[in-house]
Amino acid sequence: MNATEDLIADSLSKHAADAPSDEHLLSTIHHRLRRRRTGRTIGAAVLACTAVATAITASHSLTGELRTDPQVARPGTPASGWHWESYKTAQVQVPDSWTQYISGPAPCTTFGNTALPTIGRFNDWLGKSAYTCEDAVLPLGRRSPYLWFNDVQAPGIKQYDAGWTEETRLVAGTKISVLTKDDALRRRILDSARPITGTDYYGCPPTDVGPEGTGLNAKDPITSASICEYWQGSLISASQLAAKSAAAFAQRVNASPEGSQRARFEGCRQPDQRTYVVTLHGREKSYPVRLIADYCTVDHSFPTDDGSTVRRADATTLDLIKQGVHHPNQPSDLFDPAGPLTPSPR
């Protein structure tokens, strides 16, 4: 087979599960892909491309990079034991047991908990030249499964020792990588990935849409809240607060004092100023609250509607929402190399 036929077959083998539910057609495609019989491959590819044309979009660039986007669909309720993770323009389902969050490059989880699978984000304030790992994959004794957003590796599949495989797909311009030795789990995670069209599962748009007021009805009981975290206007994570934590956050917002805007410290270049849009859901209506965490003013504030004053939040208020995905380990928490590292090809 030539290179074009290989690409078609590889794309179909990854996405045949998205084809219409005609079991005979699907089994025929899988059989032909496995056998790769010369002379029949193109016929099977044409038939299969017709079947899955509405489910995937694939293109092959001049550099040989395969870009594949799953079908555009609004996310539904995740399967039992799973939850949605969002980053920039993409969202994907992962097991609830994957609870270790890291902000930085894969596979630098050296000082993380190797008993826990990791969800990592290569957040842009680090720069891709900072803390770049010198290992393509960690040694077996320190290796754990992970899902990583926007790391440096190109889309494709890489095989490592002891049966471990890393696959990277490009979804709406965002790279999603999964490392595991469980092929079925890897495919299930990656096949669940969807572009964020409008808003994600938690109601977060991929781009910060602007200021919100902080007017709350103190008599309206808060039942839950969604959190959208942005950096420089781009969504980096999203989650949901349970009723108790959401009510505690609302109470502290109502109690926050008002004051004037504070000037930033001269020369401060803290790059990771973030904005949290917390939508509190009451029995009567929802209340969007915008919280700006600016470490160059040592200030956490809620801008008022006209922007002339702010309502100040203390660290305890911020801590109510900086949990889990919103409080990842930073690279400096994990390791601090004495000198520059030579990155391994990924």
Side-chain angles (χ1 to χ4, degrees), residues 194-242:
R194 295 290 181 268
I196 299 176
T197 55
T199 60
D200 71 352
Y201 173 75
Y202 302 101
C204 301
T207 302
D208 188 2
V209 296
E212 300 283 359
T214 56
L216 302 178
N217 181 353
K219 296 181 180 180
D220 188 5
I222 300 301
T223 58
S224 65
S226 59
I227 304 173
C228 311
E229 182 178 353
Y230 296 93
W231 182 75
Q232 291 191 347
S234 293
L235 181 69
I236 57 173
S237 60
S239 69
Q240 190 166 19
L241 279 180

Side-chain angles (χ1 to χ4, degrees), residues 111-253:
F111 295 104
N113 185 348
T114 56
L116 291 175
T118 298
I119 298 170
R121 288 165 167 82
F122 203 152
N123 291 320
D124 292 342
W125 62 76
L126 296 167
K128 288 194 166 46
S129 62
Y131 296 109
T132 300
C133 294
E134 59 184 343
D135 298 317
V137 65
L138 289 176
L140 280 173
R142 299 203 306 270
R143 191 180 305 171
S144 63
Y146 64 62
L147 175 143
W148 225 280
F149 289 104
N150 241 30
D151 200 27
V152 297
Q153 62 269 58
I157 296 178
K158 291 188 176 181
Q159 304 287 347
Y160 299 115
D161 57 325
W164 287 76
T165 300
E166 182 177 25
E167 182 174 356
T168 300
R169 296 188 193 175
L170 191 66
V171 179
T174 294
K175 287 189 288 188
I176 301 177
S177 304
V178 175
L179 172 74
T180 179
K181 60 190 306 182
D182 185 335
D183 291 339
L185 177 63
R186 170 173 52 84
R187 286 192 294 267
R188 178 174 176 178
I189 292 172
L190 289 170
D191 287 347
S192 75
R194 295 290 181 268
I196 299 176
T197 55
T199 60
D200 71 352
Y201 173 75
Y202 302 101
C204 301
T207 302
D208 188 2
V209 296
E212 300 283 359
T214 56
L216 302 178
N217 181 353
K219 296 181 180 180
D220 188 5
I222 300 301
T223 58
S224 65
S226 59
I227 304 173
C228 311
E229 182 178 353
Y230 296 93
W231 182 75
Q232 291 191 347
S234 293
L235 181 69
I236 57 173
S237 60
S239 69
Q240 190 166 19
L241 279 180
K244 185 176 180 180
S245 296
F249 178 80
Q251 189 174 36
R252 296 194 70 89
V253 169

Side-chain angles (χ1 to χ4, degrees), residues 18 70-75 84 89-92 171-172 176 190-196:
D18 290 329
Q71 69 180 26
V72 176
R74 292 298 296 272
W84 286 99
T89 58
Q91 55 197 328
V92 62
V171 179
I176 301 177
L190 289 170
D191 287 347
S192 75
R194 295 290 181 268
I196 299 176

Side-chain angles (χ1 to χ4, degrees), residues 307-343:
S308 60
T309 61
V310 296
R311 302 178 72 177
R312 304 204 179 284
D314 58 19
T316 301
T317 306
L318 189 64
D319 286 345
L320 289 171
I321 59 174
K322 284 193 67 176
Q323 305 291 329
V325 63
H326 304 292
H327 192 207
N329 292 313
Q330 303 292 330
S332 57
D333 299 329
L334 303 174
F335 74 116
D336 190 11
L341 298 175
T342 301

